Amino acid sequence: MKEVLLISVFMKRTLVLLSLWFFIWFPLEAFCSTGNTSSSSNPKVINIGALFTLNSVIGGATKPALLAAIDDVNSSPNILNGIELKLILRDTNCSGFIGTMEALQLMESDIVVAIGPQSSGIAHVISHVVNELHVPLLSFGATDPTLAYLQFPYFLRTTHSDYFQMYAIADVLDYYGWREVIAIFVDDDYGRNGISVLGDALAKKRAKISYKASFSPEDPESKINDLLVEVNLMESRVFVVHVNPDTGLNIFSVAKRLNMMSGGYVWIATDWLPSYLDSREAVDPSTMNLLQGVVALRRYTPDTNLKKRFISRWKNLKDKGSTGPGGFNSYALYAYDSVWLAAHALEVFLSEGGNLSFSNDPKLRDTNGTTLHLSLLRVFNGGQQLLQTLLRMNFSGVSGQIQFNQQRDLIHPAFDVLNIGGTGTHRIGYWSNYSLLSIVPPESLYTKPPNISSSSQHLYGVKWPGETSKVPRGWVFPNNGQPLRIAVPNRVGYKEFVSKDNSPQGVKGYCIDVFEAAINLLPYAVPHTYMLFGDGNRNPNYDEIVSQVAQNKYDAAVGDITIVMNRTKIVDFTQPYMESGLVVVAPVKEAKSSPWAFLKPFTKEMWFVTAALFLFVGVVVWILEHRINHEFRGPPRQQLITIFWRKHGEHFGTFGADHMAVCRSDYQFKLHG
């Protein structure tokens, strides 16, 4: 019994010592976790998320590109030092509500970077989520210009904003001289905000959007038909189409039925159309027949070796579980580079001591009975540091140079200008914010000084709708249109230029005659009506006339309006048809000569003043000479005669002296000769 007792005591002491040793050497965090913070200083796997619509034109190209980028990063020994990137995909199903729910579920996986979405409307909602959780959002498809970093600091666009695309369209319109366009767009954040920027860009070119025709993606063809019938009754024949690639082709299908793809019409499509066509290996001939003569823009990516190798792999990549059309387009390049951007930034982030840790957000608490599990959403503590690291990245990707400017836009935005004709598309030039329109690739111009003068803008020839190479006029007289409103100053003076008249047109004058002569030279009729400006009691304010033309209260103004700098900033002037300077227009009258013509230069008042001055000088001379000169004395009559005689005598005496001096000079010359 004693031995058993000793053994029992020994075993108890041994267990106590082993327990103390276990607690000393085992990490304390395994037992004492507060639940507020978790960290991993040397992770083996890093989660990144992706949000986009899988079954779509853009999603079909994006998914294979993302999976290929993840495989390339994980198989490369030169990045992340063996750390595995894990991609978590979520389908937004092209719905803002579903996209938000998927984003919240994605954030429960403690991701450090989110890639997507392709929809600008969903990006607006998700940006609020990533702002709260400090997770950088790399969007390869949300091109809405209003997605600005000031409101959404964790939103980073890895493609080019529609801000640049709309300025490119404005330059194309200005190149061909069109001043009014009709915008057809999808009624969401992507469509409305893009067209708003187009309006601002056109205003700088003294052009405008004459009508905005919006529709919903869910609208049937009958509503689209009504919309196009309405715009076809208007004056402009230039249409800018800014819609989604999945439903935008319905616009041209209806336009073809309405005979709006014929001669005289101009159709300009944003990059949605090339994205749709590029995603099809072989476009149906009936589809191409709908698009003959359309001009479209496509995001430009340089033809580098990286891009060529990626495109050569595409046939093998597109079979990796793609549920969409699966064709290649430019969004695949931006999605692929987004993964590499995240990988490069994470490598620098970890090398600089960044910590992949998360903490609970006290604002996110589950209320009684809720099933949203908001407490599972945690804040990425290194989000701000990783965001700054992303902004510092600079490398060459398959889409070109990946580098951000101060406004967090990719540098060197550029677009291909395409013309659809025959069985495919033809590049007619390029646009970049460095040189604007050009027929040489943008990267070849970056080494030269920027040149945006009008003489340097060039595009190749275009085959317009109706199989014509002649540039369309871009407008017609609308069936329900109003005549041009011509403002005419109702002057008080110089009525030879322009004045009120009792004739049917209501005005007359030299300026009116010039305007009517110009109208008669046009090959078509231009209905117009003259509208007097001013009350006729005093000359009107010409600056106000010009201002009201700029404000579209009048379509034009005719009159003696001087071309000055402040007016040229808001309106266009014709070439001057009169010489500059002080010019008076007066009727020519035949006048007879008269012996009293010498009196005409002076008025009666002037002759009276001259005579008064003559007498005044004579009196002054008499006063000065009367006391010392005996010739100024005598009877009053003699003194008066002396005053007149001396006055004339002085003038004649002076003339005689000068004449004698000349004669003497001649005489001396002859003697010396």
Side-chain angles (χ1 to χ4, degrees):
M1 287 293 294
K2 190 173 183 179
E3 292 178 355
V4 173
L5 184 60
L6 290 173
I7 292 174
S8 177
V9 172
F10 176 78
M11 291 180 64
K12 290 181 179 180
R13 291 179 178 178
T14 303
L15 289 173
V16 171
L17 291 174
L18 288 174
S19 299
L20 290 173
W21 178 85
F22 182 82
F23 277 105
I24 291 173
W25 290 100
F26 197 83
L28 184 62
E29 289 80 3
F31 294 92
C32 303
S33 176
T34 62
N36 293 328
T37 304
S38 64
S39 64
S40 178
S41 59
N42 190 21
K44 293 183 179 180
V45 178
I46 299 178
N47 293 334
I48 64 174
L51 289 155
F52 56 92
T53 301
L54 298 179
N55 189 19
S56 65
V57 171
I58 297 177
T62 297
K63 184 179 178 181
L66 290 175
L67 296 176
I70 290 294
D71 291 342
D72 293 344
V73 169
N74 290 334
S75 61
S76 175
N78 301 321
I79 193 169
L80 288 178
N81 298 321
I83 299 176
E84 179 186 356
L85 277 186
K86 182 180 179 181
L87 181 66
I88 304 174
L89 292 175
R90 294 290 182 181
D91 187 3
T92 61
N93 201 23
C94 202
S95 168
F97 175 75
I98 296 177
T100 304
M101 296 298 102
E102 294 292 344
L104 293 175
Q105 293 181 16
L106 184 63
M107 296 302 168
E108 295 178 1
S109 303
D110 288 344
I111 63 171
V112 297
V113 171
I115 298 176
Q118 70 194 55
S119 169
S120 297
I122 299 176
H124 274 276
V125 179
I126 296 177
S127 294
H128 290 286
V129 178
V130 297
N131 280 358
E132 183 68 25
L133 302 180
H134 297 179
V135 176
L137 177 62
L138 309 182
S139 180
F140 57 83
T143 56
D144 179 4
T146 63
L147 285 165
Y149 71 94
L150 294 176
Q151 182 181 7
F152 305 114
Y154 284 89
F155 176 85
L156 189 61
R157 201 188 324 264
T158 55
T159 184
H160 298 299
S161 167
D162 278 340
Y163 174 89
F164 302 105
Q165 180 171 209
M166 294 307 167
Y167 272 81
I169 291 177
D171 286 329
V172 172
L173 296 171
D174 183 64
Y175 178 79
Y176 291 109
W178 297 313
R179 288 290 176 260
E180 290 191 13
V181 301
I182 293 177
I184 303 174
F185 60 97
V186 61
D187 193 12
D188 58 10
D189 292 328
Y190 160 76
R192 287 191 301 270
N193 296 329
I195 293 301
S196 177
V197 174
L198 176 61
D200 295 339
L202 289 175
K204 295 181 179 180
K205 303 287 185 181
R206 295 182 182 175
K208 65 178 181 179
I209 299 176
S210 59
Y211 186 74
K212 295 182 179 180
S214 62
F215 68 98
S216 173
E218 292 79 20
D219 284 346
E221 286 195 359
S222 60
K223 285 193 175 181
I224 297 177
N225 184 86
D226 295 340
L227 182 70
L228 293 185
V229 168
E230 181 181 0
V231 301
N232 198 34
L233 295 174
M234 298 180 181
E235 179 182 80
S236 178
R237 285 293 182 263
V238 182
F239 304 102
V240 176
V241 184
H242 185 52
V243 296
N244 296 322
D246 299 284
T247 59
L249 208 62
N250 295 334
I251 295 291
F252 293 101
S253 177
V254 175
K256 184 70 173 180
R257 292 202 305 266
L258 295 175
N259 198 31
M260 295 176 65
M261 300 301 298
S262 56
Y265 289 86
V266 178
W267 292 87
I268 300 177
T270 54
D271 72 311
W272 67 269
L273 183 56
S275 297
Y276 174 86
L277 297 177
D278 292 343
S279 63
R280 265 69 179 170
E281 293 183 357
V283 182
D284 186 79
S286 61
T287 299
M288 294 302 300
N289 188 42
L290 299 176
L291 305 172
Q292 296 297 305
V294 175
V295 174
L297 268 65
R298 178 176 61 195
R299 282 173 168 76
Y300 173 76
T301 53
D303 291 328
T304 60
N305 292 329
L306 283 173
K307 176 183 174 181
K308 293 176 181 178
R309 287 197 296 268
F310 179 79
I311 294 176
S312 65
R313 297 169 53 197
W314 185 257
K315 187 175 182 180
N316 297 326
L317 297 178
K318 70 174 184 177
D319 298 327
K320 291 189 175 183
S322 176
T323 57
F328 172 82
N329 56 49
S330 60
Y331 288 97
L333 302 176
Y334 294 112
Y336 182 86
D337 283 343
S338 297
V339 175
W340 277 96
L341 173 63
H344 283 297
L346 285 169
E347 183 180 35
V348 175
F349 173 79
L350 294 173
S351 65
E352 293 179 349
N355 192 11
L356 301 178
S357 61
F358 298 83
S359 60
N360 292 335
D361 189 346
K363 300 178 184 177
L364 302 176
R365 295 180 180 178
D366 293 332
T367 58
N368 294 331
T370 182
T371 58
L372 294 177
H373 306 296
L374 296 179
S375 60
L376 297 179
L377 302 177
R378 300 194 295 174
V379 177
F380 177 30
N381 296 327
Q384 180 61 30
Q385 181 182 349
L386 180 58
L387 176 64
Q388 297 303 319
T389 305
L390 287 165
L391 294 173
R392 290 189 284 118
M393 290 295 99
N394 184 3
F395 66 94
S396 297
V398 295
S399 63
Q401 190 71 16
I402 306 300
Q403 184 181 356
F404 298 95
N405 58 20
Q406 294 295 328
Q407 288 73 37
R408 300 189 181 184
D409 292 317
L410 285 177
I411 62 173
H412 303 322
F415 292 85
D416 293 316
V417 184
L418 308 175
N419 180 214
I420 302 175
T423 59
T425 60
H426 312 279
R427 183 189 288 121
I428 61 173
Y430 306 88
W431 180 93
S432 68
N433 68 333
Y434 190 80
S435 59
L436 304 186
L437 298 175
S438 173
I439 56 177
V440 298
E443 62 268 16
S444 62
L445 301 174
Y446 294 148
T447 57
K448 302 177 182 179
N451 185 6
I452 59 174
S453 62
S454 58
S455 61
S456 66
Q457 307 300 296
H458 299 288
L459 289 175
Y460 288 119
V462 177
K463 190 68 78 173
W464 302 101
E467 295 295 323
T468 177
S469 57
K470 182 180 179 181
V471 178
R473 192 171 61 199
W475 63 274
V476 295
F477 286 104
N479 296 331
N480 59 346
Q482 299 294 327
L484 294 178
R485 300 161 299 175
I486 309 298
V488 176
N490 192 3
R491 293 189 53 87
V492 176
Y494 298 108
K495 293 188 176 182
E496 293 81 3
F497 286 110
V498 63
S499 63
K500 183 179 179 180
D501 188 36
N502 295 325
S503 62
Q505 65 182 12
V507 290
K508 66 177 182 178
Y510 179 71
C511 297
I512 301 299
D513 294 340
V514 173
F515 181 75
E516 289 292 336
I519 289 291
N520 293 333
L521 291 175
L522 296 175
Y524 44 84
V526 180
H528 58 280
T529 179
Y530 295 104
M531 305 176 69
L532 290 170
F533 186 91
D535 55 10
N537 297 322
R538 57 179 180 177
N539 290 332
N541 188 327
Y542 279 60
D543 287 334
E544 188 175 350
I545 297 177
V546 174
S547 176
Q548 293 199 15
V549 172
Q551 296 172 11
N552 204 30
K553 294 183 179 179
Y554 299 103
D555 297 307
V558 174
D560 54 331
I561 303 174
T562 306
I563 304 174
V564 295
M565 181 177 294
N566 64 318
R567 296 174 184 172
T568 59
K569 293 179 179 180
I570 57 176
V571 296
D572 289 325
F573 283 88
T574 63
Q575 290 294 326
Y577 48 83
M578 289 191 300
E579 295 182 357
S580 60
L582 296 176
V583 179
V584 177
V585 179
V588 177
K589 294 183 179 179
E590 188 176 347
K592 297 181 180 180
S593 60
S594 171
W596 301 100
F598 70 94
L599 297 176
K600 290 185 178 180
F602 287 171
T603 61
K604 294 180 180 179
E605 292 79 4
M606 190 65 188
W607 283 113
F608 284 129
V609 171
T610 303
L613 289 175
F614 185 84
L615 292 174
F616 176 76
V617 173
V619 171
V620 171
V621 172
W622 178 83
I623 293 174
L624 295 176
E625 298 289 337
H626 176 70
R627 293 185 301 170
I628 60 176
N629 191 340
H630 66 279
E631 294 183 0
F632 284 85
R633 296 175 186 173
R637 182 173 177 273
Q638 180 181 352
Q639 295 186 34
L640 184 61
I641 294 174
T642 302
I643 290 173
F644 282 98
W645 176 253
R646 284 292 180 178
K647 184 65 182 175
H648 288 283
E650 290 173 0
H651 289 293
F652 284 115
T654 303
F655 173 78
D658 292 341
H659 182 69
M660 289 302 296
V662 173
C663 292
R664 289 171 183 173
S665 176
D666 293 343
Y667 176 71
Q668 291 175 0
F669 177 77
K670 291 179 180 179
L671 286 178
H672 288 292

